[in-house]
Amino acid sequence: MFSVAGFGTLGAVHSSEHDADFTPSFFKPDGAGYTNDWSMAPDSLAALQATAVFTPRLSAVVQVLAQQNYNDTFWPHVEWADVKYQFTPEFGIRAGRTVVPTFLVSEARNVGYTYQWLRPPVEVYGLDPNTSNDGLDASYRLQTGKVLQTLELVFGSRNQEVAHAGQVKAEQRWIVSDTLEYGALTLHVAFQKTTLAVPYLAGLFDAFRAFGTQGNALADEYDPQRKRATILSLGALYDPGRWFVTAEGGRSNLDSVFGRNSGWFASGGYRFTKFTPYLTYGVASTNGLSDAGLGTAGLPPAVAAEAMALNDTLDTLLSTKRVQNTVSAGIRWDFMKNADFKLQVDHTRIDAGSTGALLNIQPGFTLGARYTLIGAAVDFVF
Amino acid sequence: MLGLSMSLSVGAAVVTVVSSKSPVLALSKSQIADIFLGRSYRYPDGAPATPIDQPEASSLREQFYNTVAGETLALVKAHWSKIIFTGRGQPPKIVGSGAELKKLLAANPLAIGYIDSADVDASVRVVDSR
């Protein structure tokens, strides 16, 4: 049996902050605000998926997805491509490119039709914008009375181009995840450990190393070269049908200039047949947004100036960690079969010293700014 | 008045059925919902279950998911989209009518479906526990 299905989102978003861009993922190079007053790049995508069921046990899936790439093209890429062998109805192994089950809605993160928000809250979902892994994925379902659990173990790696940062390598990635369903309640917990290499900063930290012991210590602390990265997340959803409440928290430790970041959100909504208004509150926090850097006392003026320039670059990098909170209000309208229309307004307050989740920061940008997003989207599945 | 509206709603009721040859006697709403929403692959006795759906546009389908899961068809579609688009599974097979379903149930004692209560006959067993 061979079947083809697809999904997509056509969205436009406006940001009141004109000295920086808003986009939900650091894989994207620009967005709304500075580059475009209104931008379709942050939320729009389209995908086609082919599923082949060879035998009741053996099947294969290929999903091709087009969205704004790191280099501002919209060329499609292979999002999933795996072969699954289902040993029993409960136990299966997939090999190839599969989903990264970090968060509660990670599995369907790209499929806007499956959730109420215009986009998953950036305070949590921005902690890990990765959606795919190259490797193996074992899944086991366990039913004990009315409690259903899905245990997953994922192993693999993934190399991806990040906008303005070159290639990022996630190697020796291990993820364990458990999703527990009991009636209207869903709980999800996941832990991920990977070795992360972000080579584009090597030049900067080599320059720090030229400053001897002090420079070496700073480079060892901050250089994201093959550093251990972990993400722990815990999410809950209670959805009896007419209404829903959900909350999720996550903590990442990138053990480098990208630091320890955490975020949580709470969201709820009520379904009036075709209209679902909802509210969300999200908070993101981090450790140190700045560092004293290299001491300049006693250095010749030219060398001191170089040290100060390096310190400034380090501080700028540290300030890009996100510390912010967002209040979002929106409505989903199921205006026709297999399609919805969404309208969402987000008001974000960035904390002092941080650029929040924004990018392409311009000279006129004030750290700790506040901004409002207005977004609209149509999601569809077929 | 109340008695009349109650009997009317009972008259148009959707019932969950298996083949009369199936060993399954009764299932709770949540057990039925779990089987139809892909959360459970088996009957309580451990035998694998094959759920069969009615056409997407049918009012019976709307009534069924509303009754067993409290979900609109849009929510059911959203639920399956989550499963389909990660390659985890496929939604239940669809039959065109109650008569077609009964034929399929007669051929497969592991299958389970739903029909209008007016279509119930000796070939099927209603398994909704009261």
Side-chain angles (χ1 to χ4, degrees), chain A residues 159-195:
Chain A
N159 292 350
Q160 261 171 307
E161 294 282 344
V162 173
H164 316 297
Q167 195 165 69
V168 171
K169 292 180 182 174
E171 286 166 333
Q172 293 183 304
R173 175 194 265 158
W174 284 97
I175 309 167
V176 279
S177 129
D178 185 22
T179 307
L180 184 153
E181 292 166 83
Y182 174 71
L185 180 71
T186 305
L187 298 174
H188 176 264
V189 59
F191 179 74
Q192 176 177 164
K193 184 178 91 61
T194 185
T195 304

Side-chain angles (χ1 to χ4, degrees), chain A residues 46 64-78:
Chain A
V64 175
L65 190 143
Q67 62 186 150
Q68 187 192 28
N69 296 315
Y70 72 98
N71 57 1
D72 203 23
T73 63
F74 279 77
W75 283 107
H77 68 272
V78 175

Side-chain angles (χ1 to χ4, degrees), chain A residues 5-7 49 51 61 63 80 84 89-90 94 107-108 111 113-114 141 143 148 152 181 241 271 337-338 381, chain B residues 28 30 34 38-42 48 56 69-72 74-75 77-78 81-82 84-90:
Chain A
F7 60 86
Q49 176 175 304
T51 305
V61 167
Q63 186 185 104
W80 332 121
K84 178 167 78 169
E90 288 80 18
R94 300 191 288 186
E107 299 241 316
V111 193
Y113 186 79
T114 62
R141 302 194 102 184
Q143 192 158 12
L148 176 73
E152 267 192 282
E181 292 166 83
R271 298 189 180 97
K337 203 177 140 226
N338 299 346
V381 291
Chain B
S28 69
S30 69
D34 283 351
R39 290 195 284 250
S40 184
Y41 306 129
R42 295 176 190 276
E56 284 203 10
E71 292 193 2
T72 61
L75 269 178
K77 182 75 183 184
S81 297
K82 278 185 221 174
I84 294 165
F85 293 120
T86 52
R88 290 214 177 281
Q90 292 291 320

Side-chain angles (χ1 to χ4, degrees), chain A residues 287-359:
Chain A
N287 66 326
L289 288 164
S290 65
D291 190 296
L294 298 161
T296 53
L299 293 175
V303 183
E306 196 198 329
M308 271 150 66
L310 288 174
N311 289 345
D312 279 352
T313 307
L314 179 62
D315 261 359
T316 304
L317 276 170
L318 289 169
S319 74
T320 63
K321 287 189 286 185
R322 38 184 76 181
V323 191
Q324 63 177 39
N325 62 72
T326 299
V327 178
S328 308
I331 189 159
R332 169 183 169 137
W333 173 29
D334 285 280
F335 70 100
M336 62 176 278
K337 203 177 140 226
N338 299 346
D340 69 58
F341 173 78
K342 289 169 184 166
L343 204 59
Q344 183 173 314
V345 176
D346 307 82
H347 183 69
T348 299
R349 284 171 292 187
I350 304 174
D351 273 27
S354 166
T355 60
L358 300 173
L359 77 162

